[in-house]
Amino acid sequence: MKNKEKRIETAMIHNHEKAEKYDGSLTTPIFQTSTFSFSSAAEGERRFAGEEEGFIYTRLGNPTVRTLEDRIATLEGGERGLAFASGMAAVSAVLIALTKAGDHVLCSNGLYGCTYGLLQMFEEKYSITHDFSYMETEEDVRAKITPDTRCIFIETPINPTMKIIDLAMVARVAKEHDIPVVVDNTFCTPYLQRPLDLGCDIVLHSATKYIGGHGDVIAGLVVGKKAFMDDLAMSQQKDIGGVLSPFDAWLLLRGLKTLHVRMDRHSINAHDLAKRLENHPEVKQVYYPGMEGNGQFPIVQKQMKTGGGVLAFEIEGGKKEAQEFMDRLKLIQIAVSLGDAETLIQHPATMTHAVVPEEKRQEMGIGDTLIRLSAGLESVEDLWEDLEQALKDV
């Protein structure tokens, strides 16, 4: 069976590399080396000239890292993947590659706080401007495109409001203007959503989250067409140097083997908790893509396998009540990040999105009572008992 014929659950587990290549090792070895020797000076010359395949130096390529890059490219349906030292290293590399001084980036109306901070730095230092759009209709997208727009950057679901962007719709409009669409697919992973299949051009991940899955690695991944990815490798990855270590690549390869099983459980737990929270008298609003009452549910059905493992909700009161509620939790951990086996909860306005000015946070829907929860793999009954006891004194 060829790899492209494998169903995604199988492709996550079975290696591109044949076991006999590594003396029968079923698991990809960790090539913990900084450099690679050449059989001759002429071989070194050919490799540096790009005339011969082979490894030179781990910043330029490594067998363990390459296996991961090939695997994520297959899972996302792209031509080439690249691995970076963090999700933000991946975001930075892509945006630097696509823009120059004076250009414009159109974004979904809601971004991870550090992505927002990066765009602010671009504007202050390089006059690369950005605008936000709700992207609810084709007209919304067209209205914000300028002659200087060089890319459209989307999160969906948006962190932390869980709003959904219709990727196929945005891709149609973008193609009218020959503008690449970049999608941060961290919340979904390729198991739940494949943006390239929907017409988008570049997909990236904070692999720290679900792909790693165990809270023990920081990493970023990017997938796209070979020509763009080759350029990204030879410029941003090689020269800026935010590369992934072989050991961290090995951890991600391990995480991928159980990704589909974990994502199913994360999604089941999140959906169950969202339904229970929706019926709790101290909860004002629940935001979860997988709820049928959600007005964006038809888009979810079209482009996502499930609603995912993250939800957000607002409780009665203000910031004080929200923080006191979190402090009363006994099992659920107060921590940023998501996608771990443990259920994590955080307060976006004062944590992940604290860098965003208050006025802009409010416009994005990030108020002082908004709480984001990443459902883990525990018993949902234990999780609900913890939430319920913490909500009693709101």
Side-chain angles (χ1 to χ4, degrees):
M1 178 185 288
K2 294 180 180 178
N3 200 65
K4 66 180 181 181
E5 296 172 344
K6 295 173 185 172
R7 292 170 177 82
I8 192 165
E9 296 88 347
T10 305
M12 286 175 180
I13 295 170
H14 286 267
N15 208 331
H16 284 284
E17 306 290 337
K18 293 185 180 297
E20 57 263 29
K21 183 175 180 179
Y22 300 127
D23 296 322
S25 175
L26 188 63
T27 299
T28 302
I30 305 170
F31 286 84
Q32 195 67 42
T33 181
S34 58
T35 195
F36 300 82
S37 62
F38 309 123
S39 62
S40 67
E43 181 182 71
E45 179 183 10
R46 290 193 300 273
R47 289 191 184 180
F48 270 91
E51 296 170 355
E52 179 181 293
E53 288 291 323
F55 295 101
I56 298 171
Y57 186 68
T58 281
R59 178 162 52 81
L60 310 179
N62 175 283
T64 312
V65 178
R66 182 67 53 81
T67 299
L68 172 66
E69 292 172 336
D70 290 344
R71 187 81 62 83
I72 193 64
T74 296
L75 296 176
E76 284 287 6
E79 294 177 0
R80 182 178 180 184
L82 288 176
F84 292 85
S86 69
M88 283 310 302
V91 172
S92 301
V94 169
L95 289 177
I96 290 170
L98 291 174
T99 60
K100 64 183 185 306
D103 284 344
H104 172 256
V105 179
L106 178 58
C107 306
S108 53
N109 192 41
L111 293 173
Y112 173 49
C114 290
T115 305
Y116 179 89
L118 176 68
L119 289 168
Q120 287 295 107
M121 183 186 73
F122 276 13
E123 186 159 350
E124 293 165 6
K125 294 177 72 71
Y126 310 114
S127 299
I128 298 171
T129 60
H130 59 275
D131 281 308
F132 295 94
S133 170
Y134 289 103
M135 298 186 186
E136 292 178 351
T137 66
E138 292 187 2
E139 288 69 30
D140 287 344
V141 181
R142 291 192 185 97
K144 292 293 182 72
I145 291 175
T146 77
D148 296 319
T149 303
R150 293 295 173 265
C151 74
I152 297 175
F153 190 98
I154 298 172
E155 287 183 9
T156 183
I158 293 175
N159 180 14
T161 60
M162 306 311 296
K163 293 178 181 175
I164 303 297
I165 304 294
D166 186 333
L167 292 176
M169 178 272 289
V170 175
R172 284 196 305 271
V173 176
K175 282 178 171 48
E176 295 172 4
H177 300 268
D178 197 26
I179 298 171
V181 177
V182 182
V183 180
D184 184 334
N185 202 30
T186 297
F187 275 35
C188 286
T189 80
Y191 180 61
L192 299 187
Q193 177 173 270
R194 302 223 313 178
L196 302 183
D197 289 350
L198 298 167
C200 301
D201 302 281
I202 301 160
V203 60
L204 57 85
H205 299 268
S206 172
T208 308
K209 313 303 193 292
Y210 289 113
I211 291 175
H214 295 78
D216 53 12
V217 62
I218 300 289
L221 297 170
V222 182
V223 179
K225 289 189 180 299
K226 187 176 185 302
F228 173 77
M229 299 301 293
D230 287 350
D231 179 69
L232 196 68
M234 293 306 294
S235 55
Q236 274 61 49
Q237 191 184 54
K238 176 177 74 71
D239 295 336
I240 295 178
V243 298
L244 189 66
S245 75
F247 180 68
D248 287 344
W250 182 86
L251 287 173
L252 294 180
L253 286 166
R254 183 187 66 169
L256 279 173
K257 290 185 178 182
T258 59
L259 177 61
H260 59 291
V261 180
R262 291 185 285 106
M263 290 306 297
D264 284 341
R265 180 59 176 265
H266 287 303
S267 299
I268 290 168
N269 279 357
H271 188 267
D272 195 326
L273 292 176
K275 288 194 297 183
R276 299 191 195 201
L277 286 166
E278 191 176 44
N279 293 321
H280 197 284
E282 300 301 334
V283 176
K284 292 193 295 185
Q285 186 71 43
V286 176
Y287 306 98
Y288 180 66
M291 302 283 276
E292 291 188 15
N294 178 353
Q296 295 185 303
F297 189 64
I299 304 174
V300 174
Q301 289 181 300
K302 182 173 66 171
Q303 68 187 35
M304 294 171 64
K305 183 180 176 70
T306 72
V310 181
L311 63 128
F313 58 97
E314 295 181 74
I315 65 171
E316 296 292 345
K319 182 176 81 171
K320 176 176 176 289
E321 286 73 21
Q323 292 180 328
E324 288 177 348
F325 155 73
M326 292 168 64
D327 289 343
R328 287 192 294 272
L329 293 166
K330 298 174 182 177
L331 174 67
I332 297 169
Q333 300 295 301
I334 301 173
V336 295
S337 197
L338 55 103
D340 289 3
E342 298 86 356
T343 295
L344 306 178
I345 198 164
Q346 65 108 354
H347 186 246
T350 59
M351 295 180 181
T352 55
H353 291 70
V355 68
V356 182
E358 183 177 1
E359 182 180 347
K360 188 61 192 175
R361 282 204 311 269
Q362 294 293 339
E363 184 184 331
M364 290 178 175
I366 305 171
D368 285 342
T369 62
L370 184 72
I371 295 165
R372 191 192 76 186
L373 184 145
S374 169
L377 305 179
E378 306 97 334
S379 162
V380 74
E381 297 300 332
D382 289 333
L383 294 174
W384 177 244
E385 286 175 10
D386 196 26
L387 288 167
E388 194 172 35
Q389 65 82 23
L391 283 166
K392 283 180 179 177
D393 297 323
V394 171

